[in-house]
Amino acid sequence: MNSVYTVSQINQYIKSLLDGDRVLGGVMIRGELSNYKVYPSGHHYFSLKDGEGAIRCVMFRREASALRFRPQNGMQVVAFGRVTVFPRDGQYQLYCSQLSPEGVGELHLAFEACKEKLYREGLFDPAHKKPIPRYPARIALITSAAGAAVRDMLRILKARWPMSEIFVLPVRVQGAEAPAEIAAALGWANRYRVADLIITGRGGGSMEDLWCFNDEGVARAIYASEIPVISAVGHEPDVTIADFVADLRAATPSNAAELAVPDQSEVSGGLMQLQRRMQRAMVRQLERAGSRLEQLARRRVLTDPMAPIQDRRLLLDYQRERLSGALRRRLSGERERLAALAAGLDAMSPLKVLGRGYAVARKADGTVVRSAGQVAPGDGLSLRVAEGTIFCRVAEGERSQDHGCEEKL
């Protein structure tokens, strides 16, 4: 059994089908304007018709405000937009975003469609743009070899910066073959790295004359270039797809030459200014160094080279005198100490006792006799007196002694 749907469900389903269709999502329609009305809201409602049919259209206020002509019934136009269904009434219609009179309108719509497509793909993203070299050594000109534009660029480049080497890659810049030749020249220049910078463009002309620089293939070749590209197409009001994709847009070919290289007179003036600044800096540095040299020259070490040596000699003599005095005081003290010790030892010397009439008796084995019980009659003794030694023998016991001793002096 088939399902039962509401009217809104069917309308929404049809809308989803139309919104998913790639052709209807961005379509250009040629037709005659009819029933053209502008509502207080600013929205424009009209129909496009031909000899066999008609389609309802709506153009919202934002898009309608960009119109550069006044649409009128009966006018042949080309409309660009998307076809979808308004679910409330179930009727399909064209939601128009671009409207132009037939003729130039087709090119304009094609331009807008290509620009929108490449913009969505990110080819205009500023993050992708490469910096232009400040002093390019080699420049490639991709343009017509016979046009006035190439002569103007060569003249300006040589006048401004003759140090750059210029290569002209001649291509057609008008006609059906031009886009392929321009894209091929861009690819060849990158493949063989013939330059540090590329300038591509041509002189002014109609939109049809400049159309090769609105070609999608040329735009993609510029985007793919590893060498920075300056776009120089037409006059200042002229804008092409190449201008959006290039790393830098110039208003004219002559302006591109001015943007590509510095002015040698300005660079020379800048170098001269830097030279003067360096000279002033060197003069100041030399003045500071001269002042420092004068200060050093006035120092005693330079005015009297022997002065430091003499100062050191005086200091050495002073130190030597201090050491000699200290040594003398030390020796004197030690002598006094030695004399005191000698006097103490002399006072304790046994010879001093002997000098007062005392004697030291020793047995034959050298033992000092301290009592009478240590000797017996007949023992030999030696008596040490102050002057000499007396040898004797014991005659009796404790009460008497034989003094018949032989003195040995």
Side-chain angles (χ1 to χ4, degrees), residues 67-124:
L67 288 173
R68 295 294 179 265
F69 73 104
R70 178 174 294 182
Q72 296 178 357
N73 290 327
M75 182 181 289
Q76 290 290 325
V77 296
V78 175
F80 175 78
R82 59 187 178 90
V83 177
T84 187
V85 167
F86 186 42
R88 190 182 67 184
D89 56 17
Q91 294 186 0
Y92 76 90
Q93 58 186 342
L94 175 70
Y95 286 78
C96 181
S97 59
Q98 298 284 339
L99 186 66
S100 60
E102 188 175 12
V104 296
E106 293 183 10
L107 291 178
H108 179 71
L109 290 175
F111 173 86
E112 292 295 334
C114 182
K115 185 176 77 169
E116 180 68 18
K117 176 182 178 181
L118 298 181
Y119 171 77
R120 292 181 181 276
E121 292 184 21
L123 270 69
F124 305 162

Side-chain angles (χ1 to χ4, degrees), residues 380-383 389-393 403-409:
L381 297 175
S382 61
L383 300 179
T389 302
I390 301 173
F391 297 95
C392 61
R393 190 177 304 278
H403 291 286
C405 295
E406 179 181 352
E407 181 180 0
K408 181 180 181 181
L409 298 178

Side-chain angles (χ1 to χ4, degrees), residues 167-222:
F167 300 91
V168 178
L169 305 182
V171 295
R172 301 182 197 183
V173 291
Q174 186 174 340
E177 297 85 359
E181 291 188 9
I182 296 171
L186 285 163
W188 187 86
N190 277 271
R191 186 179 306 114
Y192 296 103
R193 303 296 299 182
V194 298
D196 305 317
L197 177 65
I198 295 174
I199 301 176
T200 183
R202 53 156 291 159
S206 65
M207 191 172 189
E208 290 85 351
D209 295 338
L210 307 180
W211 191 251
C212 59
F213 291 97
N214 291 320
D215 184 81
E216 183 177 337
V218 172
R220 295 190 183 279
I222 294 175

Side-chain angles (χ1 to χ4, degrees), residues 124-276:
F124 305 162
D125 190 351
H128 180 74
K129 297 186 183 300
K130 297 173 285 297
I132 305 301
R134 189 171 183 181
Y135 304 103
R138 296 175 298 173
I139 301 174
L141 305 181
I142 299 178
T143 187
S144 171
V150 69
R151 292 195 295 272
D152 290 342
M153 287 191 286
L154 288 172
R155 174 178 54 80
I156 294 173
L157 289 171
K158 290 297 183 183
R160 287 177 63 87
W161 196 250
M163 287 71 76
S164 293
E165 188 176 2
I166 311 300
F167 300 91
V168 178
L169 305 182
V171 295
R172 301 182 197 183
V173 291
Q174 186 174 340
E177 297 85 359
E181 291 188 9
I182 296 171
L186 285 163
W188 187 86
N190 277 271
R191 186 179 306 114
Y192 296 103
R193 303 296 299 182
V194 298
D196 305 317
L197 177 65
I198 295 174
I199 301 176
T200 183
R202 53 156 291 159
S206 65
M207 191 172 189
E208 290 85 351
D209 295 338
L210 307 180
W211 191 251
C212 59
F213 291 97
N214 291 320
D215 184 81
E216 183 177 337
V218 172
R220 295 190 183 279
I222 294 175
Y223 181 80
S225 174
E226 296 180 359
I227 302 172
V229 177
I230 297 179
S231 174
V233 182
H235 302 299
E236 187 168 358
D238 298 323
V239 180
T240 65
I241 299 296
D243 294 330
F244 293 107
V245 185
D247 300 297
L248 180 64
R249 185 226 174 204
T252 63
S254 298
N255 179 237
E258 294 172 350
L259 295 175
V261 294
D263 187 346
Q264 62 175 338
S265 60
E266 294 179 359
V267 175
S268 177
L271 290 174
M272 291 180 64
Q273 184 178 3
L274 289 175
Q275 183 180 14
R276 289 192 293 269

